[in-house]
Amino acid sequence: MTSSREDPEILPDAAEDEPNLPDGSQQQPPTLLPLFDCVALDKLCHVAEMFQDRERQRIREEAELAEKRRLWAEERAEAHRQYVFEVAKAYALELHSDQAPKSKDDDEEEEEEEEVVKGKSRFDDAKNAIKKRRRYSGRSSSTTCGGIELSMTRHRTAPTLTELCMRVLAENSEAIESLHLVPDHLKKKISSLVSDSSKVDKAFMQLLVDDSPSEVSVKNCVDLEEEDLTQILSECDRVSLEVLNLDLCGRAMTENALTEFLNRSPNGFPSLTRLSLQGAFCLTDNALALISRSAPLLRVVNLCECSLLTFQAVKILADYFGSTLRGLNIGGCQGIKPCDVFRISLSRFEKLSSLSVAGLEGINDVVVEFCTSRGSSLTDLSLASCVGVNDGTLWTVGRYCPNLEALDISELDNLTDASLKEITDGCRSLNSVKFTRNRFSDEGVAAFLEVCGGSINNLSLNNVRDVGQETANSLAKYCKRLHYLDLSWCRKLTEEELRQIMSCCSLLRSLKLFGWTQVKEDFLEDLSRSEVSIVGLKMTSLFAHPDDSYPSVDTKCF
């Protein structure tokens, strides 16, 4: 066989088509590029674009969300500023509400609000809310005071020259020769200091009545005799005398002394409007009749602790001053027993705004009838230690005494939270309240303070044993105008809750803490250095701050 290379038919002209290669090299097969599917490539591009669109959409959404959050934060900050402004404005208006007259629009709005809440008890709503908070929250959820810390630094100010001079005069009262041209208000302060030292005698009384004063006020006249009082009253200028306070004048204020005085001075006291004879244990009904006859302009009479007076004394006052008397204090007059004459006589006082029957027994029915007929004019009422007063009595007070400003219901064992409900819903103007030795619950007192605490200046919770965390929260949150507070024997309150109260009640001046043995000694020492005058701490004199003691209803009115 011949080789294929020599066969022209098998490989025609093969040599002519082959390129000339260099010597020693071999022919390499050509490299072929892979073929791509165009449809798959389009799909891949589409998916990539879709992911890019989604990424761009996510970025836009995040930007929009950030912008919305910024706008929402600005709106929230603006709303918060507006809320703070409104709260501050309302609080400022509340502080000056006594000076700023209410407009007709305000009155109409108040009437509309009263119509809305008519038939519903705000006390019950507050009490139920407090119970729910106690049920669903632990003790650690007490109200905070915005980070305010209790200042334990007392800012002591130097006494004024006037105060120093009055102290020196009181300590050396026997050496005073004259109080000529001394104003009546300074005479009153000097008299108070001298009375505290039990140095009031005939000579000092003569100094007070010289120079035609309009007010003579002495709170300790135990050393005066009948002849001394007769001579002093006869020699003073009674035409200008408008206020006469002779407390604890038991030995001097007798029927014989008054008879002798009227024999010497038949005109009596033509300008006298206020008379206080507290503790005059020798004052009788006949002697009171002589005083009433000699002082036709009397408007306020304080006969507290005058043990010889009977129901006839009330009848005498009603006969002379039934249409004019504004204030009457017969608290502690054990000779006054409830009867028809007393009940009828009391109801004859048409304009009586201040009444104290503290300590009188069996007075419940008389008080109910008086409040029903004359309660709308009462602004100050004391029912302390009146055995027989119950929830029904306080229902009458709440319903018929809407203008009460001062209320003393101390030492009344028959009262429950129902009484708190009645005075909370009915007496919206209270600013002085005394709850000493009552059995009110912690939730009840807290609900009362939540509704009425904004207007209260003076509050006594002495020996209200159930007072605890909820009351502390309400005191701190709602009682911003408190000046005087008595928490003696409230042993369920803690050190932290007391700090909370003192931090939030910035206007507090005096705080009573008798019987506080549940706190540490070092905390009590810190309290003694606070700006608030603390009374009742261990090793503290009872008379350390006599001017800051809790002002009772009697002292407020008389």
Side-chain angles (χ1 to χ4, degrees):
M1 291 181 62
T2 59
S3 66
S4 62
R5 189 171 181 84
E6 295 176 355
D7 190 354
E9 296 179 359
I10 301 174
L11 296 172
D13 298 332
E16 295 178 3
D17 295 335
E18 292 181 354
N20 295 325
L21 296 174
D23 296 339
S25 61
Q26 297 179 359
Q27 183 179 1
Q28 298 293 332
T31 302
L32 298 178
L33 293 175
L35 297 177
F36 290 92
D37 190 353
C38 296
V39 176
L41 183 61
D42 290 342
K43 290 182 178 180
L44 183 62
C45 294
H46 179 71
V47 171
E49 291 178 358
M50 183 177 64
F51 277 108
Q52 290 179 355
D53 292 341
R54 289 184 180 180
E55 183 66 17
R56 286 192 292 268
Q57 181 66 22
R58 185 184 64 82
I59 295 174
R60 284 196 298 270
E61 290 178 354
E62 289 182 355
E64 292 176 358
L65 182 61
E67 181 67 16
K68 289 181 180 179
R69 288 178 177 175
R70 186 185 65 80
L71 295 175
W72 179 76
E74 292 179 356
E75 293 177 358
R76 185 178 180 184
E78 181 63 26
H80 179 69
R81 286 194 293 269
Q82 186 66 24
Y83 171 75
V84 172
F85 173 77
E86 294 295 336
V87 171
K89 181 179 178 181
Y91 182 63
L93 292 176
E94 181 182 2
L95 289 179
H96 302 282
S97 59
D98 296 337
Q99 301 177 358
K102 293 183 179 180
S103 63
K104 293 182 179 180
D105 295 337
D106 294 337
D107 294 337
E108 292 177 358
E109 291 178 0
E110 290 182 358
E111 290 178 359
E112 291 178 359
E113 291 178 359
E114 290 180 358
E115 291 178 358
V116 171
V117 301
K118 188 175 181 181
K120 297 178 64 176
S121 173
R122 296 178 62 187
F123 175 84
D124 286 341
D125 294 341
K127 188 175 180 179
N128 293 333
I130 291 170
K131 287 183 177 179
K132 289 181 180 179
R133 287 200 301 266
R134 168 169 287 188
R135 186 181 305 118
Y136 294 110
S137 62
R139 191 172 183 82
S140 60
S141 62
S142 59
T143 303
T144 59
C145 301
I148 301 176
E149 296 183 356
L150 176 59
S151 174
M152 291 298 182
T153 303
R154 175 173 297 204
H155 300 282
R156 297 184 178 181
T157 57
T160 63
L161 181 59
T162 302
E163 293 174 347
L164 292 175
C165 291
M166 288 191 296
R167 293 177 188 176
V168 173
L169 289 174
E171 293 174 358
N172 304 276
S173 59
E174 65 279 355
I176 301 176
E177 294 185 359
S178 175
L179 292 176
H180 183 61
L181 299 181
V182 177
D184 287 347
H185 70 281
L186 293 182
K187 284 185 179 180
K188 184 177 180 180
K189 292 182 179 179
I190 296 173
S191 173
S192 177
L193 293 173
V194 175
S195 297
D196 291 338
S197 303
S198 300
K199 292 184 177 180
V200 177
D201 54 10
K202 179 181 178 182
F204 182 75
M205 286 293 300
Q206 194 65 48
L207 294 175
L208 293 179
V209 299
D210 288 344
D211 199 22
S212 303
S214 62
E215 178 177 357
V216 175
S217 181
V218 184
K219 59 182 183 181
N220 189 351
C221 303
V222 294
D223 294 332
L224 292 183
E225 303 289 344
E226 293 184 35
E227 296 179 358
D228 299 336
L229 183 62
T230 301
Q231 182 178 351
I232 292 170
L233 294 179
S234 300
E235 294 177 358
C236 73
D237 184 5
R238 296 174 305 283
V239 176
S240 59
L241 187 63
E242 298 179 359
V243 179
L244 179 60
N245 295 339
L246 298 175
D247 295 340
L248 303 181
C249 57
R251 293 192 297 173
M253 190 61 63
T254 63
E255 186 176 349
N256 293 332
L258 291 172
T259 302
E260 181 63 24
F261 161 69
L262 291 177
N263 289 336
R264 298 183 187 181
S265 307
N267 293 330
F269 301 97
S271 303
L272 193 65
T273 59
R274 300 175 67 92
L275 175 65
S276 178
L277 300 176
Q278 181 176 348
F281 54 82
C282 288
L283 186 69
T284 62
D285 296 340
N286 293 334
L288 181 62
L290 294 175
I291 295 174
S292 302
R293 191 180 307 122
S294 63
L297 298 182
L298 272 182
R299 295 295 179 269
V300 178
V301 180
N302 181 9
L303 302 175
C304 180
E305 305 295 341
C306 294
S307 54
L308 292 184
L309 295 180
T310 67
F311 64 89
Q312 291 293 339
V314 182
K315 182 178 183 302
I316 291 170
L317 293 175
D319 291 338
Y320 283 97
F321 312 109
S323 60
T324 58
L325 197 68
R326 300 298 179 89
L328 175 62
N329 185 354
I330 53 176
C333 296
Q334 298 299 326
I336 298 180
K337 303 297 181 182
C339 61
D340 291 340
V341 175
F342 173 60
R343 175 177 52 79
I344 296 173
S345 300
L346 192 62
S347 62
R348 292 171 58 191
F349 293 109
E350 300 175 0
K351 299 181 180 180
L352 200 63
S353 60
S354 300
L355 174 64
S356 175
V357 292
L360 300 188
E361 298 180 359
I363 203 72
N364 181 53
D365 294 338
V366 177
V367 172
V368 169
E369 182 171 345
F370 177 79
C371 290
T372 303
S373 59
R374 305 293 185 188
S376 59
S377 60
L378 275 181
T379 59
D380 308 275
L381 178 63
S382 176
L383 303 175
S385 303
C386 292
V387 179
V389 171
N390 51 31
D391 292 338
T393 311
L394 270 296
W395 179 88
T396 304
V397 172
R399 184 180 180 87
Y400 294 100
C401 305
N403 299 316
L404 270 185
E405 298 176 1
L407 178 64
D408 187 352
I409 51 175
S410 303
E411 302 184 13
L412 299 176
D413 294 335
N414 297 327
L415 299 186
T416 65
D417 285 357
S419 296
L420 281 180
K421 173 182 179 299
E422 299 304 333
I423 63 175
T424 301
D425 295 335
C427 306
R428 299 294 181 85
S429 303
L430 287 173
N431 56 54
S432 179
V433 184
K434 201 168 183 181
F435 291 155
T436 303
R437 292 183 182 274
N438 282 326
R439 299 186 299 172
F440 299 138
S441 67
D442 186 25
E443 295 87 351
V445 176
F448 166 77
L449 295 177
E450 185 171 330
V451 178
C452 300
S455 62
I456 292 181
N457 299 325
N458 310 317
L459 176 65
S460 176
L461 299 174
N462 188 328
N463 228 320
V464 183
R465 299 183 181 274
D466 289 336
V467 161
Q469 177 194 4
E470 300 300 338
T471 298
N473 291 341
S474 294
L475 281 170
K477 188 174 182 180
Y478 300 101
C479 301
K480 302 298 185 181
R481 303 178 66 179
L482 265 183
H483 292 167
Y484 301 92
L485 177 62
D486 189 353
L487 295 176
S488 300
W489 306 101
C490 296
R491 291 184 171 176
K492 289 187 178 181
L493 291 174
T494 64
E495 173 184 325
E496 190 63 30
E497 289 162 355
L498 184 59
R499 285 181 181 273
Q500 174 184 338
I501 294 170
M502 295 181 66
S503 297
C504 296
C505 299
S506 58
L507 300 181
L508 193 63
R509 300 176 185 173
S510 178
L511 176 64
K512 283 189 177 182
L513 294 177
F514 288 100
W516 269 63
T517 59
Q518 71 271 31
V519 295
K520 300 178 182 179
E521 293 292 335
D522 55 348
F523 175 66
L524 295 180
E525 293 178 1
D526 291 341
L527 283 182
S528 64
R529 296 192 297 271
S530 67
E531 298 178 7
V532 180
S533 297
I534 309 294
V535 183
L537 295 183
K538 186 178 181 180
M539 303 302 293
T540 302
S541 173
L542 180 61
F543 303 101
H545 310 281
D547 294 336
D548 293 328
S549 60
Y550 179 84
S552 64
V553 174
D554 297 347
T555 57
K556 178 179 181 296
C557 306
F558 306 99

Short mmCIF file of all heavy atoms in Angstrom, two decimals, residues 123-136 443 447 450 470:
data_model
loop_
_atom_site.label_atom_id
_atom_site.label_comp_id
_atom_site.label_asym_id
_atom_site.label_seq_id
_atom_site.Cartn_x
_atom_site.Cartn_y
_atom_site.Cartn_z
N PHE A 123 -64.15 61.03 95.48
CA PHE A 123 -63.45 60.30 96.54
C PHE A 123 -63.41 58.80 96.22
O PHE A 123 -62.35 58.16 96.35
CB PHE A 123 -64.15 60.55 97.88
CG PHE A 123 -63.59 59.75 99.02
CD1 PHE A 123 -62.48 60.21 99.71
CD2 PHE A 123 -64.16 58.55 99.40
CE1 PHE A 123 -61.94 59.48 100.76
CE2 PHE A 123 -63.64 57.80 100.45
CZ PHE A 123 -62.53 58.28 101.13
N ASP A 124 -64.56 58.26 95.82
CA ASP A 124 -64.60 56.83 95.49
C ASP A 124 -63.68 56.52 94.31
O ASP A 124 -62.98 55.49 94.30
CB ASP A 124 -66.03 56.41 95.16
CG ASP A 124 -66.90 56.33 96.42
OD1 ASP A 124 -66.32 56.24 97.52
OD2 ASP A 124 -68.14 56.38 96.28
N ASP A 125 -63.69 57.39 93.29
CA ASP A 125 -62.82 57.16 92.14
C ASP A 125 -61.35 57.16 92.56
O ASP A 125 -60.57 56.29 92.13
CB ASP A 125 -63.06 58.23 91.08
CG ASP A 125 -64.46 58.13 90.48
OD1 ASP A 125 -65.08 57.06 90.62
OD2 ASP A 125 -64.92 59.12 89.89
N ALA A 126 -60.98 58.13 93.38
CA ALA A 126 -59.59 58.21 93.83
C ALA A 126 -59.21 57.01 94.69
O ALA A 126 -58.13 56.44 94.55
CB ALA A 126 -59.37 59.51 94.60
N LYS A 127 -60.12 56.61 95.58
CA LYS A 127 -59.83 55.48 96.47
C LYS A 127 -59.69 54.18 95.68
O LYS A 127 -58.79 53.36 95.94
CB LYS A 127 -60.93 55.34 97.52
CG LYS A 127 -60.63 54.34 98.61
CD LYS A 127 -61.70 54.35 99.69
CE LYS A 127 -61.38 53.33 100.78
NZ LYS A 127 -62.42 53.34 101.85
N ASN A 128 -60.56 53.97 94.70
CA ASN A 128 -60.46 52.76 93.87
C ASN A 128 -59.16 52.74 93.07
O ASN A 128 -58.53 51.69 92.91
CB ASN A 128 -61.66 52.66 92.93
CG ASN A 128 -62.96 52.41 93.68
OD1 ASN A 128 -62.96 51.84 94.77
ND2 ASN A 128 -64.07 52.84 93.11
N ALA A 129 -58.77 53.90 92.55
CA ALA A 129 -57.52 53.97 91.80
C ALA A 129 -56.33 53.65 92.69
O ALA A 129 -55.38 52.97 92.28
CB ALA A 129 -57.36 55.35 91.17
N ILE A 130 -56.38 54.14 93.93
CA ILE A 130 -55.29 53.87 94.87
C ILE A 130 -55.22 52.39 95.20
O ILE A 130 -54.13 51.79 95.28
CB ILE A 130 -55.47 54.72 96.14
CG1 ILE A 130 -55.23 56.19 95.81
CG2 ILE A 130 -54.53 54.26 97.25
CD1 ILE A 130 -55.60 57.14 96.93
N LYS A 131 -56.36 51.77 95.39
CA LYS A 131 -56.37 50.32 95.66
C LYS A 131 -55.81 49.53 94.51
O LYS A 131 -55.08 48.55 94.70
CB LYS A 131 -57.80 49.88 95.97
CG LYS A 131 -58.31 50.32 97.34
CD LYS A 131 -59.71 49.79 97.60
CE LYS A 131 -60.19 50.16 99.00
NZ LYS A 131 -61.56 49.67 99.27
N LYS A 132 -56.12 49.93 93.27
CA LYS A 132 -55.59 49.23 92.10
C LYS A 132 -54.08 49.40 92.02
O LYS A 132 -53.35 48.45 91.71
CB LYS A 132 -56.25 49.76 90.83
CG LYS A 132 -57.71 49.36 90.69
CD LYS A 132 -58.29 49.89 89.38
CE LYS A 132 -59.75 49.49 89.25
NZ LYS A 132 -60.33 50.03 87.99
N ARG A 133 -53.61 50.61 92.29
CA ARG A 133 -52.15 50.82 92.26
C ARG A 133 -51.46 49.97 93.31
O ARG A 133 -50.39 49.40 93.05
CB ARG A 133 -51.84 52.30 92.50
CG ARG A 133 -52.15 53.20 91.35
CD ARG A 133 -51.40 54.50 91.44
NE ARG A 133 -51.70 55.23 92.66
CZ ARG A 133 -52.64 56.16 92.74
NH1 ARG A 133 -53.35 56.46 91.67
NH2 ARG A 133 -52.87 56.80 93.86
N ARG A 134 -52.07 49.87 94.48
CA ARG A 134 -51.46 49.06 95.53
C ARG A 134 -51.48 47.59 95.16
O ARG A 134 -50.56 46.83 95.47
CB ARG A 134 -52.19 49.30 96.85
CG ARG A 134 -51.82 48.30 97.94
CD ARG A 134 -52.34 48.73 99.29
NE ARG A 134 -51.59 49.84 99.83
CZ ARG A 134 -51.74 50.31 101.06
NH1 ARG A 134 -52.63 49.75 101.86
NH2 ARG A 134 -51.03 51.32 101.49
N ARG A 135 -52.53 47.15 94.48
CA ARG A 135 -52.66 45.74 94.14
C ARG A 135 -51.66 45.33 93.07
O ARG A 135 -51.10 44.23 93.11
CB ARG A 135 -54.08 45.46 93.65
CG ARG A 135 -54.37 43.97 93.41
CD ARG A 135 -55.78 43.75 92.91
NE ARG A 135 -56.76 44.33 93.82
CZ ARG A 135 -57.60 45.29 93.48
NH1 ARG A 135 -57.56 45.81 92.26
NH2 ARG A 135 -58.46 45.78 94.34
N TYR A 136 -51.42 46.21 92.09
CA TYR A 136 -50.59 45.82 90.95
C TYR A 136 -49.17 46.36 91.00
O TYR A 136 -48.40 46.15 90.08
CB TYR A 136 -51.24 46.29 89.64
CG TYR A 136 -52.55 45.59 89.36
CD1 TYR A 136 -53.76 46.28 89.45
CD2 TYR A 136 -52.56 44.25 89.02
CE1 TYR A 136 -54.96 45.63 89.20
CE2 TYR A 136 -53.77 43.60 88.78
CZ TYR A 136 -54.96 44.30 88.86
OH TYR A 136 -56.14 43.66 88.62
N GLU A 443 -55.79 54.30 102.43
CA GLU A 443 -56.37 54.65 101.12
C GLU A 443 -57.37 55.79 101.24
O GLU A 443 -57.46 56.64 100.35
CB GLU A 443 -57.05 53.43 100.50
CG GLU A 443 -56.11 52.29 100.16
CD GLU A 443 -55.90 51.35 101.34
OE1 GLU A 443 -56.36 51.69 102.44
OE2 GLU A 443 -55.28 50.29 101.17
N ALA A 447 -56.97 59.27 99.33
CA ALA A 447 -57.98 59.73 98.36
C ALA A 447 -58.48 61.13 98.71
O ALA A 447 -58.69 61.96 97.82
CB ALA A 447 -59.15 58.73 98.35
N GLU A 450 -55.82 63.48 97.62
CA GLU A 450 -55.73 63.55 96.17
C GLU A 450 -56.77 64.51 95.60
O GLU A 450 -56.51 65.20 94.61
CB GLU A 450 -55.91 62.16 95.56
CG GLU A 450 -55.73 62.12 94.06
CD GLU A 450 -55.69 60.71 93.52
OE1 GLU A 450 -55.25 59.80 94.26
OE2 GLU A 450 -56.12 60.51 92.37
N GLU A 470 -49.45 55.19 100.82
CA GLU A 470 -50.35 55.90 99.91
C GLU A 470 -50.57 57.33 100.36
O GLU A 470 -50.62 58.25 99.54
CB GLU A 470 -51.68 55.15 99.81
CG GLU A 470 -51.58 53.73 99.29
CD GLU A 470 -50.99 53.67 97.90
OE1 GLU A 470 -51.03 54.68 97.18
OE2 GLU A 470 -50.47 52.61 97.53
#
